[in-house]
Amino acid sequence: MQTVQVKKGYDMVISEVEMPRIEQQNEVLVKTKRVGVCGSDMHIYHGTNPLATYPRVIGHEVAGEVVEVGADVTTLQVGDHVVVEPISYCGTCYACRKGRPNVCEDLSVFGVHEDGGMREFFVLPEHQLHAVDSSLDWDEIVLAEPYTIGAQAVWRGEVEEGDTVLIQGCGPIGICALKMAKLQGAYVLMTDLSEERLKFAKENGADKVIHALHESVEGKIMEYTNSVGVNVVIDAVCLPSTFELGLTVTSPAGTIVCLGFDEKPSQIPQLPITKKELTIVGSRLQTNQFKKVVELLNNEQLQSNGLITQTFSLNDVEEAFTFIENNPDKVRKALITFE
Ligand code: MN
């Protein structure tokens, strides 16, 4: 079978390898159908993801069809359409015991710390696969993982019906957070530097959009919230300055959700945190969000609606990465198709 391997930065090869086999009786053999390309895959390709090790089969946004199941597998059958939950964890450390295995001491992410989905077949334990209604389009269900990232941010922000939420950034993560916040019943404001992305956010349910260069973000937020500020900020831009802005525009008792990997420090005074009794939380990967997202996919409450902009076949994978790199304005989410 064919596999896409990143040997080291900027060195990607398609090679012929042996088919993986079921070794434990709780494992499932899956034939890959679609893999989404994520910003973090681009970082692994560029050699700039500090968490990845090489050589690596990338891909953590994966949908496929079950072709064989181990003897102990009870929830899946041959022919099921599945999406991959890309985390595996120890189950015993503090984070795992707290129900937060996404930040396990021993966390391993499919396609980052271990080989992922950009290969024709792969084997995973049953609990890392979720069956989805088989009448749904592969292009729809492969978005499950990015939706869980949005769902996690909304959960970490404790977004409730009627809350006013600011989502900074209208890239794929911002859009996924938008869809989840709207399903939760929130009023959502979004910012970006691109007119085209702001327009797309509006088409996907954003109540107000703010151009972060042409308008005063703080001024507009205060105008739209009667000077109260937003209850929750989800920062999907992740610059020191957007993080700082989050504290300025949050209402008393508000929450700031941070998704960034930037190591550059932000200038954050203590006063707004104490005076408004703010909560600042991180949001990484996801915890227990797949069940919810699969249900929403099955009910067709989560739909891509223009989020997928390109598809490339397995043989054109390197071309796909070059295209994504050179055309950031044309790409929302690109997919690799396996047939
Ligand atoms: Mn991703």
Side-chain angles (χ1 to χ4, degrees):
M1 69 160 194
Q2 289 192 307
T3 182
V4 179
Q5 215 179 33
V6 179
K7 295 275 184 200
K8 56 182 195 307
Y10 290 96
D11 183 1
M12 180 185 273
V13 290
I14 300 178
S15 37
E16 193 66 34
V17 297
E18 256 187 71
M19 278 278 292
R21 269 194 303 252
I22 289 178
E23 278 161 15
Q24 309 287 332
Q25 290 313 313
N26 69 338
E27 289 176 340
V28 177
L29 177 66
V30 180
K31 183 179 194 322
T32 308
K33 292 288 187 180
R34 297 284 186 285
V35 179
V37 181
C38 179
S40 64
D41 296 313
M42 297 305 292
H43 287 305
I44 298 175
Y45 175 59
H46 292 159
T48 54
N49 183 321
L51 305 174
T53 50
Y54 298 88
R56 180 62 59 234
V57 176
I58 53 175
H60 59 271
E61 301 177 4
V62 188
E65 184 173 337
V66 173
V67 289
E68 193 187 333
V69 296
D72 296 343
V73 171
T74 56
T75 60
L76 295 171
Q77 316 177 18
V78 172
D80 280 352
H81 293 193
V82 290
V83 292
V84 170
E85 174 161 2
I87 58 167
S88 75
Y89 42 87
C90 75
T92 56
C93 72
Y94 175 75
C96 283
R97 293 199 311 278
K98 281 291 227 187
R100 310 261 294 279
N102 54 320
V103 287
C104 169
E105 278 177 9
D106 227 356
L107 180 75
S108 180
V109 179
F110 190 66
V112 180
H113 310 93
E114 61 185 77
D115 283 344
M118 279 202 201
R119 43 183 164 159
E120 289 182 286
F121 295 87
F122 59 89
V123 167
L124 274 176
E126 176 180 19
H127 69 265
Q128 280 185 258
L129 298 165
H130 299 268
V132 179
D133 192 323
S134 62
S135 67
L136 296 171
D137 200 308
W138 293 111
D139 288 1
E140 290 291 330
I141 68 170
V142 72
L143 293 171
E145 195 274 345
Y147 290 143
T148 66
I149 304 302
Q152 180 79 3
V154 164
W155 175 67
R156 293 287 288 151
E158 297 185 23
V159 174
E160 293 181 331
E161 189 170 356
D163 285 358
T164 301
V165 177
L166 169 69
I167 300 173
Q168 304 195 76
C170 300
I173 297 302
I175 296 295
C176 289
L178 164 66
K179 287 175 187 276
M180 298 309 299
K182 288 310 296 178
L183 285 166
Q184 203 69 18
Y187 184 82
V188 181
L189 285 60
M190 293 189 78
T191 60
D192 205 280
L193 295 173
S194 145
E195 296 284 3
E196 195 279 330
R197 284 181 179 222
L198 290 168
K199 187 168 157 274
F200 184 65
K202 272 225 116 162
E203 286 163 15
N204 277 274
D207 296 285
K208 296 278 184 212
V209 297
I210 304 166
H211 195 293
L213 204 61
H214 301 158
E215 299 175 289
S216 153
V217 176
E218 190 181 339
K220 282 286 166 189
I221 289 171
M222 291 308 159
E223 180 189 326
Y224 294 142
T225 61
N226 295 319
S227 300
V228 173
V230 292
N231 308 125
V232 180
V233 175
I234 296 174
D235 184 2
V237 174
C238 311
L239 292 171
S241 59
T242 54
F243 183 50
E244 288 161 11
L245 178 78
L247 276 90
T248 311
V249 299
T250 311
S251 73
T255 302
I256 293 118
V257 182
C258 148
L259 292 138
F261 279 84
D262 201 333
E263 290 186 281
K264 286 196 285 298
S266 300
Q267 296 272 346
I268 302 288
Q270 295 172 50
L271 180 65
I273 304 175
T274 310
K275 192 177 164 198
K276 300 194 276 187
E277 211 174 50
L278 300 178
T279 305
I280 302 173
V281 297
S283 182
R284 182 180 178 199
L285 303 161
Q286 58 77 41
T287 323
N288 300 324
Q289 303 296 334
F290 268 88
K291 199 169 165 270
K292 187 192 308 172
V293 163
V294 164
E295 232 172 74
L296 291 167
L297 282 168
N298 286 347
N299 297 336
E300 299 185 43
Q301 284 175 280
L302 268 176
Q303 291 186 309
S304 59
N305 188 32
L307 191 52
I308 295 160
T309 42
Q310 289 83 19
T311 55
F312 296 87
S313 71
L314 169 61
N315 290 317
D316 297 330
V317 65
E318 199 157 7
E319 186 191 321
F321 275 65
T322 309
F323 184 87
I324 295 165
E325 195 164 55
N326 296 334
N327 299 276
D329 296 340
K330 292 196 187 119
V331 181
R332 292 183 194 125
K333 175 65 70 183
L335 301 181
I336 309 297
T337 61
F338 293 68
E339 284 309 338

